[in-house]
Amino acid sequence: MSYQEKKIFVSIISNILIFTLYTLYAVNKAEEGSITSASDFSFWGSFILVLLPVSIVAKIIIHIVFIIINKIATNEDEPSFEDELDKIIELKADRVSLYMFFFGFILSMIPLVTDLPTYLTFLVLILFGFLSDLLGRIAQLYFYRKGV
């Protein structure tokens, strides 16, 4: 497995782990009664605004730990350059990710124009934000394996 594939695999696992742990934390906080109802917009806004920096910091820490463990295990340094193949794969994976997020954004507008609860808009945005990142990483791994 190449360095890029290992890095993507660690990113997929960390994304799932971070999102799951933070969601469980937020749900427990909601069940404790810190919000009045599921339609409390300040809860959903704070959920998203806290998830972003928590996710960024956790990903940076996990990436640093990955580099250290990979260096110890394989004595392999992180590549100091990106070639054209890496850039093409990243662009193709970003396109897949953006399509997924755009689809989720369109779906998130449905509760706003129907009689569905408005908080479903936030749930769909959060879910498809996570899925778009996950699908983008999976696509990147697929393109590395396939050889574009």
Side-chain angles (χ1 to χ4, degrees):
M1 191 181 275
S2 72
Y3 181 84
Q4 288 86 358
E5 290 173 331
K6 288 186 250 181
K7 184 176 167 183
I8 293 167
F9 186 71
V10 167
S11 180
I12 289 171
I13 299 298
S14 67
N15 286 344
I16 293 170
L17 187 66
I18 292 166
F19 185 77
T20 302
L21 291 176
Y22 183 73
T23 302
L24 290 174
Y25 166 75
V27 167
N28 285 338
K29 188 175 178 181
E31 289 176 353
E32 290 174 357
S34 60
I35 62 168
T36 56
S37 70
S39 62
D40 187 2
F41 292 131
S42 65
F43 169 74
W44 293 110
S46 65
F47 181 92
I48 293 171
L49 288 176
V50 172
L51 176 62
L52 292 175
V54 165
S55 178
I56 290 169
V57 169
K59 287 178 185 180
I60 289 171
I61 293 169
I62 290 170
H63 182 72
I64 291 170
V65 169
F66 166 72
I67 291 172
I68 292 169
I69 291 174
N70 188 56
K71 176 69 175 171
I72 292 170
T74 64
N75 203 19
E76 174 185 27
D77 290 330
E78 180 179 15
S80 60
F81 64 91
E82 278 189 339
D83 60 2
E84 291 300 316
L85 180 64
D86 293 331
K87 292 177 184 178
I88 290 171
I89 288 173
E90 187 175 347
L91 286 173
K92 285 186 173 200
D94 285 347
R95 183 178 57 192
V96 170
S97 180
L98 288 173
Y99 284 156
M100 176 60 91
F101 184 77
F102 181 72
F103 178 69
F105 180 79
I106 296 299
L107 281 180
S108 72
M109 295 298 116
I110 292 172
L112 297 176
V113 296
T114 61
D115 291 332
L116 294 171
T118 309
Y119 70 88
L120 290 177
T121 298
F122 292 103
L123 288 175
V124 172
L125 280 173
I126 293 166
L127 177 67
F128 274 88
F130 166 71
L131 288 177
S132 70
D133 188 37
L134 185 65
L135 190 62
R137 298 294 181 189
I138 291 171
Q140 206 172 7
L141 186 62
Y142 171 77
F143 291 137
Y144 269 111
R145 291 279 171 116
K146 182 182 172 191
V148 179

